[in-house]
Amino acid sequence: MKIANKEISAESLVREALEKVKKYADYNIFTFVNEEGALKKAKQIDAAISRGEKVGRLAGVPYALKDIFLSREGDTTASAHILEGCASPVTATAVEKLEAEGAIMIGRTNLDAFAHGSSTENSYFGPTLNAYDKERVAGGSSGGSAVAVALNIVEFATGTDTGGSIRQPASFNGVYGFKPTYGTISRYGVVAMASSLDCIGFFTRTPEDMDLLMSIASGQDPKDMTTLPDYYNLSTGSNAAASPIDANPPARTIGIVKDFDNDAVDINIRNALKEKCELLKSKGYEIVELEMPVLRYALATYYIIQPAEVASNLSRYDGVRYGFRSEKSGGLNELYENTRNEGFMPENKRRIMIGNFVLSSGFYDAYFLKAAKARTLIIKEYEKAFQKCDFILTPVSPNPAFKLGEKVNDPVAMYLEDLMSVSLNLAGVPGLAIPAGFAPDGRALGLQLVGPRRSDKALIEFSKELR
Ligand code: GLN
């Protein structure tokens, strides 16, 4: 708005953002800085405004792009050696929509390679540091994006969330992070992790910004068969009359999950949850305790289904078609082997092996098929819960940001980080991480709001009650 009214120029905003990129270089947030491209676009927008032309809703707004979205600005590496030097021939639909409204990409952000992880320590480029404590992790996999928004370098950043990769780093850095209902934003042009779980979303500092971005980026895309038509805007707002959600009265009952409130959860997070419940009660909301025993199986289910899909999605990286190729000599099989061995991070390899194991003919029934059945039970568990309440409020993870190096050599400890986030992806329901103050030692705290499918807009709207 200020840009369109000529109060500030797009160029000065972009220059300011680029300055901050330099100032915070030690946080290791960016894998690529789009200095030239961003300044060129800013000048074009300023020129269009001075000619009196109409500009988009995000004209001149600097943003950061998780380095897993394809576009022609910078190579898309997914923070993995195997994709280094691979220029993209296409642009992701989400990026196209943001840029059509005039948003300007300042840089690509660091992540756990191929989005495998919860700390950004699995990145080929090294870890990103937490915005509030440089000895702690940024969370992951979208760590770079979360810190870029938390440190005010950009107005917003994109992320992907397969099992918590937007919500957990958002909560570790005190910003909003949204994983929409599955299929709300097109996955076209985003490097796939686990296709039935992957969701595109954003990091912002306010719910208002989140709402605007969702209304811009959502919608059906012929290039992604799982996208849903007008899904986001149908929930409330201009099309309210047509929406089943709006036929109901506004949210009044909020559920909390009994299993997620015990000694295994950090006391600061439990206190934050209590405080928010008190706030809601004082505003006239009813709090109900939910028994959701099936969620106990969510983590095990996720760590079968997700690696199975990872193994098939990563099979395409063979050293022939994309990016890096091993220099070692040998025949075709050796070329594949050496490239994959040198190009993937240890965590990528672990998932490829688990995935192929659970899909193998001898073990398919025992693991993959069973997990697929458990997934259906999890979907039903959420359906049941939403008969008793409008939204659910839970922690995002069992603890706030942990120390760098603390869990990176212990895969199971790292997987346990995802205990409270993965069930949403398995069920396809939306989840919004909201800031919830700070622990006495200065670490950011976050909570997550969960809604039924199609409730995305109402969920973001409701989060304003918890500010
Ligand atoms: N931390 C989870 C994992 O390692 C989720 C990652 C993600 O959402 N991309 O699988």
Side-chain angles (χ1 to χ4, degrees), residues 115-118 141 161-165 193 302-303 306 351 418:
H116 302 173
S118 313
S141 64
D161 190 312
T162 304
S165 274
M193 179 177 167
Y302 172 82
Y303 275 100
Q306 170 264 114
R351 296 186 190 213
D418 308 329

Side-chain angles (χ1 to χ4, degrees), residues 66 68 111-112 114-119 122 140-142 160-168 193-194 197-199 302-303 306-307 310 347 351 414-415 417-418 421-422 425:
K66 184 177 183 182
I68 196 167
L111 63 144
D112 288 296
F114 286 108
H116 302 173
S118 313
S119 69
N122 294 335
S141 64
S142 320
T160 57
D161 190 312
T162 304
S165 274
I166 292 177
R167 290 161 286 147
Q168 187 252 25
M193 179 177 167
L197 304 161
D198 292 348
C199 291
Y302 172 82
Y303 275 100
Q306 170 264 114
V310 161
E347 184 58 31
R351 296 186 190 213
M414 195 68 95
Y415 297 167
E417 271 301 299
D418 308 329
S421 53
V422 296
N425 300 70

Side-chain angles (χ1 to χ4, degrees), residues 248-255 277 279-288 388-392 458 462 465:
N248 298 325
R252 295 265 43 117
T253 309
I254 308 304
C277 285
L279 175 68
L280 287 174
K281 276 190 214 155
S282 74
K283 292 185 175 196
Y285 289 92
E286 191 190 340
I287 307 287
V288 295
K388 297 191 192 112
C389 64
D390 298 290
F391 298 123
I392 302 174
F462 173 71
E465 291 283 37

Side-chain angles (χ1 to χ4, degrees), residues 319-379:
V320 176
R321 286 171 291 182
Y322 308 94
F324 165 78
R325 178 180 300 172
S326 171
E327 305 271 297
K328 283 190 193 146
S329 57
L332 186 61
N333 281 339
E334 286 80 11
L335 171 78
Y336 294 154
E337 270 172 34
N338 293 329
T339 298
R340 287 169 71 80
N341 188 30
E342 292 166 37
F344 285 127
M345 299 293 283
E347 184 58 31
N348 306 141
K349 294 180 197 170
R350 190 173 294 125
R351 296 186 190 213
I352 291 169
M353 285 193 289
I354 296 173
N356 284 316
F357 174 78
V358 298
L359 288 173
S360 61
S361 58
F363 295 98
Y364 178 88
D365 286 355
Y367 292 99
F368 189 79
L369 193 63
K370 201 172 229 169
K373 288 177 182 166
R375 183 180 192 169
T376 303
L377 294 178
I378 292 165
I379 294 171

Side-chain angles (χ1 to χ4, degrees), residues 392-431:
I392 302 174
L393 182 63
T394 78
V396 182
S397 63
N399 45 262
F402 46 92
K403 285 249 163 77
L404 286 156
E406 192 180 319
K407 301 188 181 185
V408 73
N409 295 318
D410 185 349
V412 175
M414 195 68 95
Y415 297 167
L416 281 168
E417 271 301 299
D418 308 329
L419 195 66
M420 293 146 175
S421 53
V422 296
S423 66
L424 282 75
N425 300 70
L426 289 165
V429 297

